[in-house]
Amino acid sequence: MAGHRIALIGAGWHSSTHHAPAVAQYRDEHPGAVEIALCDRDAARTAEIAERHGFDHRFTDVDTLRDRFRPDAAIVVLPVPIMAEMVAHLLEDAVPLLIEKPLGENIGQARRMAAAVRDSGVPVLVSLNRRFDPGLRIALDWLSARGPLRMIRGTMLRARRVDPQFIWSTSIHLLDLMCAIAGPLRATDRGGVVDPACMDGDDSWRMERIEGDHGLAGFVEIMPACGRIMECVRCAGDHFCLDLFTGTHHDWRVAGYEEGDCVLDERAPTDQAEHVRNGTYAETEAFLRAVREGMPLPSPGVDDALASAELVAVLASGEVRDS
């Protein structure tokens, strides 16, 4: 029996660095399970990436890919401005999709894409890969044996990230991870503790209060040009505290504390590949396993991604405009 036909659409830096090696690893670990086609308008780039990973087919036009390859599922990793049009195109084929975040260039586009996916009935997984970070499962298992959370704090630090859409397109990873841990979160009417106008013209810095259900208090720090690269979520309740450092840009680590003692300290293996360390492989494996077994796709779907986008849009305070 021939393997499932999987299309990887997009061969840019993000796709070639994270998604292509993840798909290739899945193929290598599941011989005969999948047949892979790579599609990108840049013929030279497509040929280079396909040859590097030994992909079976290559295309430079999506319509040709659809007609000749007839994928059973597609992984779509494209720039945000063209993502919505491509997804709308692919929904016509009614095959499962794994699509890159965010759902659009602003919250209005995100709502429309979510509605289009919902109306189509096509299963779609949104690539918010922190939900598949190897450390997250360890953290959730440890927290499940303790009492309820009282506080959650998320920190995202970057160096020289001065792009104006940083909050919308990148910090959604942090907010979505916090929602995956603590449940639905929302901005508070107390607002931020730092006025963006004080940031010397750079309004992508944020220190914001958020809140969850059952009295959960939260705090978000976003510093896109502070000279350090780090992502961490701290969770605390009565007599316990946990720090989760994600595997994006650095090794993941999970540290749990009780009564002043460190009782949990697990870290990424020193030789763990980047696409494994940052959760992309686990995300890809979960998607392709569901496709092959005819099972529902894992979270986050478009409604999960939209909920996180709504929170990000509020925190962006006008940077992300409806249109």
Side-chain angles (χ1 to χ4, degrees), residues 6-12 14-15 19-20 23 37-40 62 65-66 71 73-80 82-91 93 95-103 113 122-128 283-284 287-288:
I6 308 300
L8 175 57
I9 300 175
H14 187 70
S15 178
H19 293 276
V23 172
L38 179 65
C39 182
D40 191 277
V62 170
L65 166 79
R66 295 165 72 200
I75 299 171
V76 189
V77 190
L78 295 171
V80 177
I82 61 176
M83 176 66 77
E85 181 179 354
M86 180 60 68
V87 170
H89 206 45
L90 294 171
L91 288 176
D93 296 337
V95 298
L97 302 176
L98 168 57
I99 66 172
E100 185 59 33
K101 59 77 197 165
L103 297 178
M113 181 184 287
V122 174
V124 173
L125 169 62
V126 182
S127 182
L128 288 159
E283 176 185 76
T284 302
F287 173 70
L288 294 179

Side-chain angles (χ1 to χ4, degrees), residues 138-149 181 235-237 240-242:
I138 298 170
L140 291 177
D141 287 346
W142 192 83
L143 290 171
S144 69
R146 272 107 194 130
L149 294 181
I181 294 171
C235 308
F240 71 90
C241 178
L242 178 136

Side-chain angles (χ1 to χ4, degrees), residues 237-250:
D238 290 333
H239 313 297
F240 71 90
C241 178
L242 178 136
D243 288 339
L244 166 62
F245 295 87
T246 74
T248 298
H249 297 295
H250 48 62

